[in-house]
Amino acid sequence: MPAVPVFISYAAEDGAFCAELAGALHAAGADVWHGDQRSDFGRLMVAIELEVRNRPFFIVIISPAALR
């Protein structure tokens, strides 16, 4: 069975929670992208656009930090 391609959107302040969630999903067999790469803003935006276009499943982490 192929891995389910998942995109996780989160606020930077929620990075630790997101990494834990991504790890659990990966352990369950999902192919998770959550933007943990350390690149400049321009490259990150290009990467995000590519991943959004190619991943049909999205998880949006809504937290107080995300709402600010």
Side-chain angles (χ1 to χ4, degrees):
M1 174 187 234
V4 175
V6 177
F7 182 98
I8 302 177
S9 177
Y10 65 101
E13 294 90 342
D14 298 320
F17 172 78
C18 181
E20 190 174 323
L21 176 62
L25 290 169
H26 182 72
D31 174 18
V32 181
W33 192 90
H34 58 98
D36 62 344
Q37 296 82 357
R38 302 283 186 233
S39 61
D40 65 71
F41 184 75
R43 280 194 243 174
L44 182 59
M45 291 296 100
V46 170
I48 287 172
E49 183 177 350
L50 176 67
E51 297 301 331
V52 164
R53 291 179 183 273
N54 291 303
R55 293 179 182 272
F57 297 98
F58 293 82
I59 296 173
V60 179
I61 298 173
I62 303 296
S63 68
L67 295 175
R68 281 192 291 277

